[in-house]
Amino acid sequence: MKINIKKILIVAAATLITLSSVSCGKPADISDSSGVKRDPNSQVKDTAVDFNAVYSRTDGYIEKKKYPVVTVIKSRAEIELYTSQNEGQYDFYTTFYDAVTEYDAAFFEENALIVILLEEGSGSVTHKVKGVDYNSETESTVIRIDRVSPEEQTDDMAEWHIMVEIPKDSPVAAHADKITVEMTNVKG
């Protein structure tokens, strides 16, 4: 049997060209064992937004109200309007009035508030805001909150106003209709 070097070189060159063209361009999707596809070129578009959070228990049961309720407030006049519209429904005398007096015109020159109203089946449940993540691709925001539940709880209902302070120039304030709250239950 005669070996034709020319044919071997042609087959080797064709194989080499085929392999090099497959590896060019965008990498293929990678699937893990669960079948989840991940594009190695995709990048997370979420941006963490600086924030401070203030928590105020403001009991006041309202039948058929859907929680959470999210309101973006950008001025002292807006916080006063929010307070006047809701003071008959919630107990603002405990800590809410103390909290909102800090939000004067000077505060709103550089900041905005995201007010999150929550209802809990027990007054023992507390909260901790873990993050405010803005997605520039969808212009949406997710506020991540830990719902801290102690092993033993009281059987009283509780409403909470959580005031999340963000920079006024943050795109979160401009897209108030695209804010969602993501709750995670944790043992306390």
Side-chain angles (χ1 to χ4, degrees), residues 66-136:
K66 294 188 187 248
Y67 297 92
V69 178
V70 177
T71 307
V72 175
I73 297 177
K74 300 178 189 175
S75 69
R76 180 66 193 170
E78 288 179 20
I79 193 75
E80 289 172 357
L81 179 62
Y82 180 88
T83 302
S84 68
Q85 289 175 337
N86 292 285
E87 64 188 347
Q89 300 173 356
Y90 299 100
D91 179 9
F92 285 165
Y93 293 101
T94 52
T95 57
F96 185 82
Y97 285 134
D98 291 339
V100 298
T101 57
E102 302 294 320
Y103 302 128
D104 57 10
F107 171 84
F108 285 109
E109 286 177 13
E110 296 183 15
N111 301 284
L113 284 178
I114 303 171
V115 178
I116 303 166
L117 175 58
L118 301 173
E119 181 178 68
E120 294 293 349
S122 170
S124 302
V125 176
T126 59
H127 307 91
K128 174 78 174 153
V129 177
K130 300 301 283 184
V132 177
D133 300 316
Y134 178 74
N135 183 308
S136 59

Side-chain angles (χ1 to χ4, degrees), residues 6-104:
K6 197 174 193 181
K7 286 183 182 178
I8 291 174
L9 287 174
I10 291 172
V11 170
T15 304
L16 195 61
I17 290 170
T18 303
L19 289 175
S20 65
S21 68
V22 168
S23 66
C24 290
K26 182 180 174 184
D29 286 346
I30 300 170
S31 295
D32 63 16
S33 60
S34 69
V36 175
K37 288 188 174 186
R38 291 182 176 81
D39 178 357
N41 286 337
S42 69
Q43 295 179 356
V44 175
K45 305 262 190 279
D46 287 352
T47 304
V49 176
D50 290 333
F51 72 93
N52 290 315
V54 176
Y55 309 85
S56 176
R57 183 173 169 174
T58 55
D59 298 337
Y61 176 75
I62 299 173
E63 194 171 330
K64 297 183 182 180
K65 184 122 180 158
K66 294 188 187 248
Y67 297 92
V69 178
V70 177
T71 307
V72 175
I73 297 177
K74 300 178 189 175
S75 69
R76 180 66 193 170
E78 288 179 20
I79 193 75
E80 289 172 357
L81 179 62
Y82 180 88
T83 302
S84 68
Q85 289 175 337
N86 292 285
E87 64 188 347
Q89 300 173 356
Y90 299 100
D91 179 9
F92 285 165
Y93 293 101
T94 52
T95 57
F96 185 82
Y97 285 134
D98 291 339
V100 298
T101 57
E102 302 294 320
Y103 302 128
D104 57 10

